[in-house]
Amino acid sequence: MGFREHAACVRRIVGIVLAVLLIGGVAVAVVAGRDSKDTSTATKTVRGVIGSEKAEFFADPEVVKALAAKGFTVKAETSGSWAMDQLPLKDYDFAFPGSKAPADELQRKSSVKGGPIRPFYSPLVVVAHRGAAQVLADNGLATLSSKSSGKLLMAPYLKAAKADRTWQQLKGAGKHAELTGTVFITSTDPVASNSGALYLAAASYVADGGRVAADEAAIDRTAPLLKKLIQVQGAQQTSSDAPFRDFISGVGNPLVLVYESQVASLLLQKQDLGDLVVLYPDTTVSSDHTLVPLTDSGRQFGELLSTDRRLRELAVRHGFRPQGAAAEFTAATAGHTDYIDQQLTGIRQAPVPTATVLRAMARRTRG
C-alpha cells in the first residue's frame, strides 16, 4: 500500500512529484493523485506523514479528485505511527498516525490551536484460514458465528500463549498439515507500528485482570507474557500490509493481526478472500486514525476529511468507519455481514495506556 524499500531516493517530475525514501522510519512518499488524470487545479498543497495503512486511500484517484475539488493537493510520506515523533516535522502540515496515543505526543509539538481530528477508525482483527479458525473454536480459543467470522477469546488465547501451546497439542489440528509449531498471532513491530503497539495494549489489559497499565509495576506484571507474544514471531514488519498480503496469497502464519479496514476494503472491491475468516478479539482496541494539524492548512485539511460527505464515502470504500457516521459503513458493508461485524457485538474496548507506558512496554518485549 505504497511501501517501498529502496536505499536511494528517486525523484520524478511529471506534474506530480513522487519521492521515495528510506530514512529512519519513513517508508515511502505517496503523492496523492499520481495515477489520476483529473485536470482540476488545486489551490493549496499540504504535506503530511501518514500511517502506511492509509496510503492506498490517499493514492486513490477518486480521493485526489475529491480533494482537488475542494482546493487541496496532498503529498504524504508513510511512517510507522510510533516513529513519527522522531521525524523532523518542521515543513509538514499534518501528521496522521493510526491511534490517539502517538497523536497526543505529536500534538504537544504543534502550535496550532485546537486538538487532534479523528476522521475515521478501524478495529483490530485477526484473520485466520478456515481450518485454523475451526481448530481454535474446537479447543475453546475462539467462537464462530459463520463460516467466515467469529471471535477470538483473548483470555484463553493468552493462557495458551503463556503455556507455549503448539498446534499439535490442539485436537483436530492433525487434519491440517500446515498447522505446526507454536500457536501465535503475527503482528507488526510494536516499537514502530501502531497495530503492534495496540496488540500489546489489549493483551496487557486482559492479562492484568482488566487493568490499564499505568506504571512500571504494571509493566512488570505482564512483561514476560508480552515478550513471548512478540519474540515467538521472529523478525517483524513495521506495516500490517506485508503480512496481510502474505496471508491472502496463502503463505506465512495462519493467524495474522490486521485492521478490519484491510478486509473490508477487499470485500468492497469484490475480491475473492478464499477461506479467510475474520476473528474479532473479544477484548480489542480500535485504531482511531488521528490527524494532528501542524499548520492552519493542515487543520483545514483535517476538518475537510471529517466533514466532506464524498471523502467519508471514499474512506468507507477503503474499509474505514467514519467517526459519527456509522450508517454509512453499515450501508456499504450490508452485503458482507458474513465477514464484518457491523455493530461490534459483545466486543469490549480496552483502554490504551499513555504513549510513555506503551513505549516502555514495547521496549521490554525486546529485552
Side-chain angles (χ1 to χ4, degrees):
M1 297 166 60
F3 189 92
R4 304 288 187 276
E5 295 183 349
H6 291 294
C9 178
V10 179
R11 295 177 184 260
R12 183 180 62 180
I13 302 179
V14 188
I16 301 173
V17 178
L18 178 63
V20 181
L21 42 147
L22 186 62
I23 301 176
V26 177
V28 63
V30 177
V31 179
R34 61 178 183 247
D35 297 320
S36 175
K37 296 181 180 179
D38 179 57
T39 58
S40 300
T41 301
T43 59
K44 188 177 297 184
T45 296
V46 289
R47 183 183 179 206
V49 58
I50 63 173
S52 61
E53 69 285 338
K54 294 182 283 288
E56 279 193 1
F57 171 75
F58 282 107
D60 184 339
E62 290 299 314
V63 173
V64 175
K65 183 178 180 180
L67 287 169
K70 297 296 182 177
F72 281 94
T73 290
V74 179
K75 295 182 180 180
E77 299 168 6
T78 66
S79 165
S81 291
W82 290 86
M84 288 183 187
D85 70 322
Q86 300 168 33
L87 300 176
L89 298 175
K90 180 181 177 182
D91 297 323
Y92 290 74
D93 295 290
F94 67 91
F96 203 174
S99 63
K100 181 178 182 295
D104 287 342
E105 275 199 0
L106 290 160
Q107 180 64 33
R108 286 194 285 272
K109 297 183 178 182
S110 175
S111 60
V112 179
K113 292 181 180 180
I117 300 167
R118 300 179 182 88
F120 42 73
Y121 68 100
S122 182
L124 287 172
V125 300
V126 174
V127 290
H129 294 295
R130 191 161 295 133
Q134 188 62 59
V135 170
L136 292 179
D138 290 344
N139 287 269
L141 303 181
T143 60
L144 298 179
S145 53
S146 74
K147 70 175 185 177
S148 299
S149 67
K151 287 187 176 68
L152 178 73
L153 307 180
M154 283 293 285
Y157 166 71
L158 293 176
K159 183 178 179 180
K162 186 175 182 180
D164 299 315
R165 201 93 173 264
T166 65
W167 286 105
Q168 291 92 324
Q169 293 172 326
L170 301 182
K171 64 181 180 182
K175 300 175 184 178
H176 307 279
E178 72 280 6
L179 299 180
T180 60
T182 305
V183 178
F184 69 90
I185 295 169
T186 292
S187 65
T188 53
D189 181 358
V191 174
S193 171
N194 182 63
S195 58
L198 295 184
Y199 178 40
L200 296 188
S204 67
Y205 181 78
V206 174
D208 204 20
R211 288 180 289 183
V212 184
D215 52 30
E216 194 68 27
I219 295 172
D220 289 342
R221 286 195 295 270
T222 60
L225 173 59
L226 300 187
K227 185 175 180 180
K228 275 192 174 187
L229 296 178
I230 299 305
Q231 295 203 347
V232 70
Q233 300 181 45
Q236 291 179 291
Q237 302 279 352
T238 58
S239 166
S240 59
D241 179 52
F244 183 56
R245 289 183 183 277
D246 286 346
F247 179 90
I248 293 295
S249 65
V251 300
N253 191 45
L255 303 174
V256 180
L257 184 78
V258 302
Y259 296 103
E260 178 197 61
S261 59
Q262 291 172 283
V263 178
S265 177
L266 294 185
L267 289 169
L268 294 171
Q269 293 171 34
K270 302 187 184 305
Q271 293 195 28
D272 181 11
L273 299 188
D275 68 345
L276 181 147
V277 177
V278 182
L279 297 176
Y280 288 81
D282 60 357
T283 300
T284 190
V285 178
S286 282
S287 179
D288 289 317
H289 297 282
T290 306
L291 187 146
V292 178
L294 303 176
T295 65
D296 290 337
S297 293
R299 171 160 294 284
Q300 293 169 18
F301 168 67
E303 290 172 349
L304 179 67
L305 280 182
S306 295
T307 59
D308 185 79
R309 183 172 181 177
R310 176 58 177 160
L311 287 169
R312 288 203 314 269
E313 178 184 297
L314 291 168
V316 168
R317 192 170 77 178
H318 284 270
F320 298 111
R321 294 176 180 243
Q323 292 281 8
E328 295 177 24
F329 182 84
T330 300
T333 59
H336 305 291
T337 54
D338 48 339
Y339 290 96
I340 301 299
D341 185 344
Q342 295 178 316
Q343 306 304 320
L344 302 178
T345 308
I347 295 171
R348 186 180 187 184
Q349 287 289 324
V352 179
T354 64
T356 299
V357 170
L358 203 48
R359 282 185 188 279
M361 205 179 277
R363 287 194 296 268
R364 289 284 291 276
T365 66
R366 299 301 188 199

